[in-house]
mmCIF file of all heavy atoms in Angstrom:
data_model
loop_
_atom_site.group_PDB
_atom_site.id
_atom_site.type_symbol
_atom_site.label_atom_id
_atom_site.label_comp_id
_atom_site.label_asym_id
_atom_site.label_seq_id
_atom_site.Cartn_x
_atom_site.Cartn_y
_atom_site.Cartn_z
ATOM 1 N N SER A 82 15.287 12.135 3.244
ATOM 2 C CA SER A 82 15.092 11.271 4.405
ATOM 3 C C SER A 82 13.958 11.880 5.220
ATOM 4 O O SER A 82 14.053 13.015 5.683
ATOM 5 C CB SER A 82 16.371 11.198 5.242
ATOM 6 O OG SER A 82 16.103 10.525 6.464
ATOM 7 N N TRP A 83 12.864 11.136 5.359
ATOM 8 C CA TRP A 83 11.716 11.588 6.149
ATOM 9 C C TRP A 83 11.781 10.970 7.538
ATOM 10 O O TRP A 83 11.949 9.767 7.690
ATOM 11 C CB TRP A 83 10.408 11.190 5.465
ATOM 12 C CG TRP A 83 10.123 12.014 4.247
ATOM 13 C CD1 TRP A 83 10.451 11.721 2.962
ATOM 14 C CD2 TRP A 83 9.482 13.281 4.214
ATOM 15 N NE1 TRP A 83 10.047 12.723 2.125
ATOM 16 C CE2 TRP A 83 9.443 13.698 2.868
ATOM 17 C CE3 TRP A 83 8.924 14.111 5.186
ATOM 18 C CZ2 TRP A 83 8.871 14.902 2.480
ATOM 19 C CZ3 TRP A 83 8.356 15.304 4.799
ATOM 20 C CH2 TRP A 83 8.336 15.692 3.466
ATOM 21 N N ASN A 84 11.672 11.822 8.549
ATOM 22 C CA ASN A 84 11.664 11.381 9.950
ATOM 23 C C ASN A 84 12.863 10.502 10.292
ATOM 24 O O ASN A 84 12.754 9.548 11.053
ATOM 25 C CB ASN A 84 10.353 10.651 10.280
ATOM 26 C CG ASN A 84 9.157 11.551 10.117
ATOM 27 O OD1 ASN A 84 9.174 12.710 10.516
ATOM 28 N ND2 ASN A 84 8.109 11.033 9.509
ATOM 29 N N GLY A 85 14.017 10.823 9.705
ATOM 30 C CA GLY A 85 15.250 10.089 9.982
ATOM 31 C C GLY A 85 15.323 8.718 9.340
ATOM 32 O O GLY A 85 16.228 7.948 9.636
ATOM 33 N N GLY A 86 14.394 8.408 8.450
ATOM 34 C CA GLY A 86 14.364 7.092 7.799
ATOM 35 C C GLY A 86 15.337 6.981 6.650
ATOM 36 O O GLY A 86 16.084 7.908 6.331
ATOM 37 N N LYS A 87 15.300 5.821 6.005
ATOM 38 C CA LYS A 87 16.166 5.546 4.858
ATOM 39 C C LYS A 87 15.832 6.525 3.732
ATOM 40 O O LYS A 87 14.664 6.751 3.431
ATOM 41 C CB LYS A 87 15.937 4.109 4.388
ATOM 42 C CG LYS A 87 16.832 3.696 3.251
ATOM 43 C CD LYS A 87 16.605 2.252 2.864
ATOM 44 C CE LYS A 87 17.482 1.913 1.664
ATOM 45 N NZ LYS A 87 17.270 0.540 1.227
ATOM 46 N N PRO A 88 16.839 7.129 3.112
ATOM 47 C CA PRO A 88 16.585 8.068 2.009
ATOM 48 C C PRO A 88 15.835 7.405 0.866
ATOM 49 O O PRO A 88 16.073 6.236 0.553
ATOM 50 C CB PRO A 88 17.991 8.489 1.575
ATOM 51 C CG PRO A 88 18.859 8.230 2.752
ATOM 52 C CD PRO A 88 18.267 7.022 3.427
ATOM 53 N N LYS A 89 14.902 8.163 0.275
ATOM 54 C CA LYS A 89 14.112 7.682 -0.852
ATOM 55 C C LYS A 89 14.033 8.773 -1.906
ATOM 56 O O LYS A 89 14.198 9.954 -1.611
ATOM 57 C CB LYS A 89 12.700 7.318 -0.414
ATOM 58 C CG LYS A 89 12.644 6.124 0.516
ATOM 59 C CD LYS A 89 11.231 5.726 0.812
ATOM 60 C CE LYS A 89 11.203 4.497 1.712
ATOM 61 N NZ LYS A 89 9.847 4.059 1.989
ATOM 62 N N LEU A 90 13.753 8.348 -3.133
ATOM 63 C CA LEU A 90 13.489 9.287 -4.207
ATOM 64 C C LEU A 90 12.149 9.946 -3.898
ATOM 65 O O LEU A 90 11.190 9.267 -3.541
ATOM 66 C CB LEU A 90 13.426 8.538 -5.536
ATOM 67 C CG LEU A 90 13.371 9.400 -6.782
ATOM 68 C CD1 LEU A 90 14.714 10.092 -6.994
ATOM 69 C CD2 LEU A 90 13.030 8.552 -7.986
ATOM 70 N N ASP A 91 12.082 11.249 -4.014
ATOM 71 C CA ASP A 91 10.906 12.001 -3.579
ATOM 72 C C ASP A 91 10.516 12.991 -4.673
ATOM 73 O O ASP A 91 11.372 13.739 -5.155
ATOM 74 C CB ASP A 91 11.266 12.746 -2.285
ATOM 75 C CG ASP A 91 10.104 13.455 -1.673
ATOM 76 O OD1 ASP A 91 9.864 14.628 -2.025
ATOM 77 O OD2 ASP A 91 9.418 12.844 -0.838
ATOM 78 N N ILE A 92 9.250 12.962 -5.081
ATOM 79 C CA ILE A 92 8.761 13.875 -6.112
ATOM 80 C C ILE A 92 7.594 14.655 -5.522
ATOM 81 O O ILE A 92 6.577 14.080 -5.145
ATOM 82 C CB ILE A 92 8.288 13.106 -7.370
ATOM 83 C CG1 ILE A 92 9.422 12.228 -7.911
ATOM 84 C CG2 ILE A 92 7.803 14.086 -8.439
ATOM 85 C CD1 ILE A 92 8.983 11.245 -8.977
ATOM 86 N N ARG A 93 7.763 15.973 -5.406
ATOM 87 C CA ARG A 93 6.714 16.843 -4.880
ATOM 88 C C ARG A 93 7.085 18.301 -5.129
ATOM 89 O O ARG A 93 8.212 18.600 -5.490
ATOM 90 C CB ARG A 93 6.444 16.592 -3.390
ATOM 91 C CG ARG A 93 7.529 17.063 -2.462
ATOM 92 C CD ARG A 93 7.283 16.671 -1.002
ATOM 93 N NE ARG A 93 7.387 15.240 -0.834
ATOM 94 C CZ ARG A 93 6.402 14.460 -0.387
ATOM 95 N NH1 ARG A 93 5.255 14.969 -0.031
ATOM 96 N NH2 ARG A 93 6.570 13.172 -0.286
ATOM 97 N N ALA A 94 6.131 19.196 -4.927
ATOM 98 C CA ALA A 94 6.365 20.638 -5.091
ATOM 99 C C ALA A 94 6.804 21.236 -3.760
ATOM 100 O O ALA A 94 6.207 20.951 -2.717
ATOM 101 C CB ALA A 94 5.106 21.320 -5.604
ATOM 102 N N TRP A 95 7.836 22.057 -3.812
ATOM 103 C CA TRP A 95 8.390 22.732 -2.633
ATOM 104 C C TRP A 95 8.382 24.240 -2.856
ATOM 105 O O TRP A 95 8.638 24.704 -3.956
ATOM 106 C CB TRP A 95 9.855 22.320 -2.416
ATOM 107 C CG TRP A 95 10.041 20.909 -1.999
ATOM 108 C CD1 TRP A 95 10.188 19.827 -2.815
ATOM 109 C CD2 TRP A 95 10.104 20.418 -0.672
ATOM 110 N NE1 TRP A 95 10.340 18.688 -2.079
ATOM 111 C CE2 TRP A 95 10.294 19.022 -0.748
ATOM 112 C CE3 TRP A 95 10.024 21.015 0.591
ATOM 113 C CZ2 TRP A 95 10.401 18.224 0.381
ATOM 114 C CZ3 TRP A 95 10.133 20.204 1.707
ATOM 115 C CH2 TRP A 95 10.323 18.831 1.598
ATOM 116 N N THR A 96 8.148 24.991 -1.778
ATOM 117 C CA THR A 96 8.322 26.434 -1.848
ATOM 118 C C THR A 96 9.821 26.726 -1.867
ATOM 119 O O THR A 96 10.630 25.877 -1.489
ATOM 120 C CB THR A 96 7.666 27.143 -0.646
ATOM 121 O OG1 THR A 96 8.212 26.611 0.566
ATOM 122 C CG2 THR A 96 6.153 26.975 -0.656
ATOM 123 N N ASP A 97 10.182 27.932 -2.339
ATOM 124 C CA ASP A 97 11.600 28.298 -2.443
ATOM 125 C C ASP A 97 12.360 28.120 -1.134
ATOM 126 O O ASP A 97 13.499 27.672 -1.135
ATOM 127 C CB ASP A 97 11.752 29.754 -2.906
ATOM 128 C CG ASP A 97 11.449 29.920 -4.381
ATOM 129 O OD1 ASP A 97 11.451 28.911 -5.111
ATOM 130 O OD2 ASP A 97 11.200 31.064 -4.803
ATOM 131 N N ASP A 98 11.733 28.483 -0.014
ATOM 132 C CA ASP A 98 12.425 28.425 1.272
ATOM 133 C C ASP A 98 12.258 27.075 1.976
ATOM 134 O O ASP A 98 12.665 26.913 3.115
ATOM 135 C CB ASP A 98 11.964 29.553 2.187
ATOM 136 C CG ASP A 98 10.486 29.483 2.521
ATOM 137 O OD1 ASP A 98 9.790 28.551 2.064
ATOM 138 O OD2 ASP A 98 10.016 30.380 3.250
ATOM 139 N N MET A 99 11.638 26.085 1.280
ATOM 140 C CA MET A 99 11.408 24.743 1.814
ATOM 141 C C MET A 99 10.525 24.748 3.057
ATOM 142 O O MET A 99 10.534 23.815 3.842
ATOM 143 C CB MET A 99 12.733 24.038 2.136
ATOM 144 C CG MET A 99 13.068 22.935 1.176
ATOM 145 S SD MET A 99 14.536 22.008 1.661
ATOM 146 C CE MET A 99 13.928 21.009 2.997
ATOM 147 N N SER A 100 9.751 25.825 3.266
ATOM 148 C CA SER A 100 8.902 25.905 4.453
ATOM 149 C C SER A 100 7.642 25.062 4.318
ATOM 150 O O SER A 100 7.024 24.709 5.318
ATOM 151 C CB SER A 100 8.533 27.359 4.743
ATOM 152 O OG SER A 100 7.773 27.890 3.664
ATOM 153 N N SER A 101 7.261 24.730 3.092
ATOM 154 C CA SER A 101 6.102 23.867 2.903
ATOM 155 C C SER A 101 6.224 23.106 1.591
ATOM 156 O O SER A 101 6.967 23.495 0.689
ATOM 157 C CB SER A 101 4.811 24.680 2.929
ATOM 158 O OG SER A 101 4.744 25.551 1.833
ATOM 159 N N CYS A 102 5.477 22.014 1.520
ATOM 160 C CA CYS A 102 5.503 21.179 0.319
ATOM 161 C C CYS A 102 4.123 20.592 0.091
ATOM 162 O O CYS A 102 3.292 20.548 0.984
ATOM 163 C CB CYS A 102 6.544 20.074 0.449
ATOM 164 S SG CYS A 102 6.241 18.921 1.791
ATOM 165 N N SER A 103 3.903 20.143 -1.137
ATOM 166 C CA SER A 103 2.641 19.510 -1.494
ATOM 167 C C SER A 103 2.706 18.024 -1.143
ATOM 168 O O SER A 103 3.760 17.503 -0.772
ATOM 169 C CB SER A 103 2.391 19.663 -2.991
ATOM 170 O OG SER A 103 3.337 18.897 -3.718
ATOM 171 N N LYS A 104 1.580 17.357 -1.300
ATOM 172 C CA LYS A 104 1.610 15.905 -1.212
ATOM 173 C C LYS A 104 2.452 15.424 -2.374
ATOM 174 O O LYS A 104 2.493 16.050 -3.428
ATOM 175 C CB LYS A 104 0.210 15.327 -1.312
ATOM 176 C CG LYS A 104 -0.623 15.586 -0.085
ATOM 177 C CD LYS A 104 -1.966 14.919 -0.209
ATOM 178 C CE LYS A 104 -2.793 15.192 1.034
ATOM 179 N NZ LYS A 104 -4.113 14.520 0.952
ATOM 180 N N GLY A 105 3.125 14.328 -2.191
ATOM 181 C CA GLY A 105 3.993 13.838 -3.240
ATOM 182 C C GLY A 105 4.077 12.331 -3.217
ATOM 183 O O GLY A 105 3.215 11.652 -2.660
ATOM 184 N N ILE A 106 5.139 11.837 -3.791
ATOM 185 C CA ILE A 106 5.364 10.403 -3.854
ATOM 186 C C ILE A 106 6.801 10.109 -3.458
ATOM 187 O O ILE A 106 7.721 10.844 -3.818
ATOM 188 C CB ILE A 106 5.044 9.852 -5.270
ATOM 189 C CG1 ILE A 106 5.189 8.343 -5.311
ATOM 190 C CG2 ILE A 106 5.870 10.530 -6.329
ATOM 191 C CD1 ILE A 106 4.673 7.710 -6.578
ATOM 192 N N ARG A 107 6.973 9.046 -2.670
ATOM 193 C CA ARG A 107 8.305 8.583 -2.272
ATOM 194 C C ARG A 107 8.492 7.196 -2.844
ATOM 195 O O ARG A 107 7.601 6.352 -2.755
ATOM 196 C CB ARG A 107 8.433 8.524 -0.754
ATOM 197 C CG ARG A 107 8.422 9.878 -0.107
ATOM 198 C CD ARG A 107 8.509 9.726 1.377
ATOM 199 N NE ARG A 107 7.270 9.139 1.878
ATOM 200 C CZ ARG A 107 6.742 9.424 3.052
ATOM 201 N NH1 ARG A 107 7.323 10.256 3.858
ATOM 202 N NH2 ARG A 107 5.622 8.851 3.426
ATOM 203 N N LEU A 108 9.661 6.968 -3.434
ATOM 204 C CA LEU A 108 9.949 5.684 -4.062
ATOM 205 C C LEU A 108 11.285 5.141 -3.572
ATOM 206 O O LEU A 108 12.257 5.888 -3.453
ATOM 207 C CB LEU A 108 10.030 5.833 -5.584
ATOM 208 C CG LEU A 108 8.798 6.370 -6.297
ATOM 209 C CD1 LEU A 108 9.144 6.772 -7.722
ATOM 210 C CD2 LEU A 108 7.697 5.343 -6.286
ATOM 211 N N THR A 109 11.321 3.838 -3.314
ATOM 212 C CA THR A 109 12.602 3.192 -3.049
ATOM 213 C C THR A 109 13.371 3.148 -4.367
ATOM 214 O O THR A 109 12.805 3.380 -5.442
ATOM 215 C CB THR A 109 12.402 1.749 -2.537
ATOM 216 O OG1 THR A 109 11.779 0.983 -3.579
ATOM 217 C CG2 THR A 109 11.571 1.709 -1.264
ATOM 218 N N ASP A 110 14.636 2.811 -4.304
ATOM 219 C CA ASP A 110 15.426 2.681 -5.535
ATOM 220 C C ASP A 110 14.803 1.635 -6.461
ATOM 221 O O ASP A 110 14.745 1.833 -7.674
ATOM 222 C CB ASP A 110 16.874 2.304 -5.220
ATOM 223 C CG ASP A 110 17.667 3.463 -4.636
ATOM 224 O OD1 ASP A 110 17.182 4.613 -4.684
ATOM 225 O OD2 ASP A 110 18.777 3.210 -4.130
ATOM 226 N N GLU A 111 14.342 0.531 -5.896
ATOM 227 C CA GLU A 111 13.751 -0.529 -6.703
ATOM 228 C C GLU A 111 12.466 -0.050 -7.378
ATOM 229 O O GLU A 111 12.233 -0.321 -8.565
ATOM 230 C CB GLU A 111 13.460 -1.756 -5.834
ATOM 231 C CG GLU A 111 14.711 -2.445 -5.295
ATOM 232 C CD GLU A 111 15.292 -1.752 -4.053
ATOM 233 O OE1 GLU A 111 14.577 -0.960 -3.370
ATOM 234 O OE2 GLU A 111 16.476 -1.992 -3.774
ATOM 235 N N GLU A 112 11.626 0.666 -6.649
ATOM 236 C CA GLU A 112 10.388 1.197 -7.229
ATOM 237 C C GLU A 112 10.688 2.223 -8.317
ATOM 238 O O GLU A 112 10.042 2.236 -9.361
ATOM 239 C CB GLU A 112 9.521 1.826 -6.142
ATOM 240 C CG GLU A 112 8.965 0.833 -5.150
ATOM 241 C CD GLU A 112 8.386 1.481 -3.915
ATOM 242 O OE1 GLU A 112 8.819 2.598 -3.542
ATOM 243 O OE2 GLU A 112 7.488 0.859 -3.311
ATOM 244 N N ALA A 113 11.680 3.076 -8.071
ATOM 245 C CA ALA A 113 12.051 4.091 -9.059
ATOM 246 C C ALA A 113 12.578 3.451 -10.334
ATOM 247 O O ALA A 113 12.271 3.899 -11.446
ATOM 248 C CB ALA A 113 13.092 5.037 -8.468
ATOM 249 N N GLU A 114 13.343 2.376 -10.199
ATOM 250 C CA GLU A 114 13.864 1.683 -11.380
ATOM 251 C C GLU A 114 12.718 1.054 -12.180
ATOM 252 O O GLU A 114 12.689 1.140 -13.406
ATOM 253 C CB GLU A 114 14.872 0.619 -10.969
ATOM 254 C CG GLU A 114 15.565 -0.007 -12.148
ATOM 255 C CD GLU A 114 16.700 -0.938 -11.751
ATOM 256 O OE1 GLU A 114 16.964 -1.123 -10.546
ATOM 257 O OE2 GLU A 114 17.324 -1.486 -12.675
ATOM 258 N N LYS A 115 11.746 0.460 -11.499
ATOM 259 C CA LYS A 115 10.588 -0.109 -12.189
ATOM 260 C C LYS A 115 9.791 0.989 -12.899
ATOM 261 O O LYS A 115 9.339 0.813 -14.029
ATOM 262 C CB LYS A 115 9.698 -0.866 -11.210
ATOM 263 C CG LYS A 115 10.304 -2.172 -10.761
ATOM 264 C CD LYS A 115 9.406 -2.868 -9.753
ATOM 265 C CE LYS A 115 10.059 -4.147 -9.253
ATOM 266 N NZ LYS A 115 9.227 -4.819 -8.243
ATOM 267 N N LEU A 116 9.618 2.133 -12.236
ATOM 268 C CA LEU A 116 8.918 3.256 -12.852
ATOM 269 C C LEU A 116 9.657 3.724 -14.104
ATOM 270 O O LEU A 116 9.036 4.004 -15.132
ATOM 271 C CB LEU A 116 8.756 4.407 -11.864
ATOM 272 C CG LEU A 116 8.152 5.695 -12.421
ATOM 273 C CD1 LEU A 116 6.743 5.452 -12.957
ATOM 274 C CD2 LEU A 116 8.158 6.784 -11.364
ATOM 275 N N MET A 117 10.975 3.792 -14.033
ATOM 276 C CA MET A 117 11.772 4.203 -15.180
ATOM 277 C C MET A 117 11.524 3.277 -16.372
ATOM 278 O O MET A 117 11.330 3.742 -17.497
ATOM 279 C CB MET A 117 13.265 4.205 -14.816
ATOM 280 C CG MET A 117 14.174 4.639 -15.948
ATOM 281 S SD MET A 117 15.916 4.636 -15.471
ATOM 282 C CE MET A 117 16.197 2.886 -15.248
ATOM 283 N N HIS A 118 11.464 1.981 -16.141
ATOM 284 C CA HIS A 118 11.224 1.027 -17.225
ATOM 285 C C HIS A 118 9.817 1.179 -17.796
ATOM 286 O O HIS A 118 9.619 1.107 -19.015
ATOM 287 C CB HIS A 118 11.466 -0.406 -16.764
ATOM 288 C CG HIS A 118 12.904 -0.697 -16.459
ATOM 289 N ND1 HIS A 118 13.915 -0.562 -17.393
ATOM 290 C CD2 HIS A 118 13.507 -1.086 -15.318
ATOM 291 C CE1 HIS A 118 15.064 -0.871 -16.844
ATOM 292 N NE2 HIS A 118 14.854 -1.193 -15.576
ATOM 293 N N VAL A 119 8.832 1.403 -16.936
ATOM 294 C CA VAL A 119 7.458 1.622 -17.394
ATOM 295 C C VAL A 119 7.395 2.870 -18.274
ATOM 296 O O VAL A 119 6.776 2.871 -19.343
ATOM 297 C CB VAL A 119 6.491 1.737 -16.198
ATOM 298 C CG1 VAL A 119 5.133 2.248 -16.619
ATOM 299 C CG2 VAL A 119 6.362 0.396 -15.487
ATOM 300 N N LEU A 120 8.050 3.945 -17.842
ATOM 301 C CA LEU A 120 8.041 5.188 -18.617
ATOM 302 C C LEU A 120 8.794 5.035 -19.935
ATOM 303 O O LEU A 120 8.375 5.589 -20.953
ATOM 304 C CB LEU A 120 8.622 6.332 -17.789
ATOM 305 C CG LEU A 120 7.777 6.763 -16.594
ATOM 306 C CD1 LEU A 120 8.530 7.785 -15.747
ATOM 307 C CD2 LEU A 120 6.436 7.307 -17.034
ATOM 308 N N GLU A 121 9.888 4.291 -19.928
ATOM 309 C CA GLU A 121 10.622 4.045 -21.171
ATOM 310 C C GLU A 121 9.733 3.340 -22.178
ATOM 311 O O GLU A 121 9.696 3.707 -23.362
ATOM 312 C CB GLU A 121 11.883 3.215 -20.906
ATOM 313 C CG GLU A 121 12.995 3.993 -20.267
ATOM 314 C CD GLU A 121 14.177 3.105 -19.850
ATOM 315 O OE1 GLU A 121 14.035 1.860 -19.802
ATOM 316 O OE2 GLU A 121 15.237 3.683 -19.564
ATOM 317 N N ARG A 122 8.981 2.317 -21.735
ATOM 318 C CA ARG A 122 8.058 1.610 -22.641
ATOM 319 C C ARG A 122 6.984 2.557 -23.149
ATOM 320 O O ARG A 122 6.644 2.548 -24.334
ATOM 321 C CB ARG A 122 7.411 0.423 -21.921
ATOM 322 C CG ARG A 122 8.274 -0.797 -21.856
ATOM 323 C CD ARG A 122 7.495 -2.060 -21.493
ATOM 324 N NE ARG A 122 6.557 -1.920 -20.392
ATOM 325 C CZ ARG A 122 6.843 -2.160 -19.111
ATOM 326 N NH1 ARG A 122 8.053 -2.555 -18.757
ATOM 327 N NH2 ARG A 122 5.919 -2.019 -18.184
ATOM 328 N N TYR A 123 6.460 3.380 -22.274
ATOM 329 C CA TYR A 123 5.418 4.333 -22.660
ATOM 330 C C TYR A 123 5.899 5.267 -23.754
ATOM 331 O O TYR A 123 5.227 5.468 -24.764
ATOM 332 C CB TYR A 123 4.956 5.134 -21.442
ATOM 333 C CG TYR A 123 4.063 6.304 -21.780
ATOM 334 C CD1 TYR A 123 2.720 6.111 -22.087
ATOM 335 C CD2 TYR A 123 4.574 7.601 -21.811
ATOM 336 C CE1 TYR A 123 1.895 7.166 -22.412
ATOM 337 C CE2 TYR A 123 3.760 8.668 -22.140
ATOM 338 C CZ TYR A 123 2.425 8.445 -22.437
ATOM 339 O OH TYR A 123 1.615 9.508 -22.767
ATOM 340 N N PHE A 124 7.082 5.846 -23.598
ATOM 341 C CA PHE A 124 7.592 6.803 -24.572
ATOM 342 C C PHE A 124 8.038 6.146 -25.873
ATOM 343 O O PHE A 124 7.985 6.778 -26.932
ATOM 344 C CB PHE A 124 8.702 7.673 -23.961
ATOM 345 C CG PHE A 124 8.148 8.695 -23.007
ATOM 346 C CD1 PHE A 124 8.346 8.585 -21.645
ATOM 347 C CD2 PHE A 124 7.385 9.758 -23.480
ATOM 348 C CE1 PHE A 124 7.812 9.529 -20.779
ATOM 349 C CE2 PHE A 124 6.842 10.711 -22.611
ATOM 350 C CZ PHE A 124 7.065 10.573 -21.265
ATOM 351 N N LYS A 125 8.432 4.906 -25.827
ATOM 352 C CA LYS A 125 8.768 4.187 -27.063
ATOM 353 C C LYS A 125 7.532 3.935 -27.907
ATOM 354 O O LYS A 125 7.605 3.855 -29.120
ATOM 355 C CB LYS A 125 9.457 2.865 -26.740
ATOM 356 C CG LYS A 125 10.903 3.026 -26.341
ATOM 357 C CD LYS A 125 11.538 1.682 -26.056
ATOM 358 C CE LYS A 125 12.962 1.887 -25.580
ATOM 359 N NZ LYS A 125 13.603 0.608 -25.233
ATOM 360 N N GLU A 126 6.379 3.799 -27.261
ATOM 361 C CA GLU A 126 5.121 3.525 -27.949
ATOM 362 C C GLU A 126 4.513 4.797 -28.562
ATOM 363 O O GLU A 126 3.588 4.700 -29.358
ATOM 364 C CB GLU A 126 4.109 2.888 -27.003
ATOM 365 C CG GLU A 126 4.518 1.512 -26.543
ATOM 366 C CD GLU A 126 3.600 0.957 -25.461
ATOM 367 O OE1 GLU A 126 2.649 1.660 -25.033
ATOM 368 O OE2 GLU A 126 3.837 -0.172 -25.020
#
């Protein structure tokens, strides 16, 4: 949850103590599900 907002799937690099992180990507559940289907097609090919 960023800035108290709705929780989202988040992919990024974090330091062990969570004191800093890299730029990353945040996805809603719907976006994450679409990404999963795209990746499934990619790996099947």
Side-chain angles (χ1 to χ4, degrees):
S82 171
W83 287 93
N84 298 317
K87 183 178 177 182
K89 293 185 178 182
L90 189 70
D91 185 271
I92 304 169
R93 71 186 68 240
W95 291 89
T96 57
D97 285 342
D98 62 1
M99 252 186 75
S100 63
S101 66
C102 62
S103 68
K104 289 183 180 181
I106 184 170
R107 292 178 291 213
L108 301 166
T109 64
D110 287 348
E111 293 81 19
E112 292 167 333
E114 187 172 1
K115 287 178 183 178
L116 175 61
M117 181 180 67
H118 292 301
V119 168
L120 292 173
E121 285 173 345
R122 279 196 315 268
Y123 170 78
F124 286 109
K125 283 181 183 178
E126 294 172 358

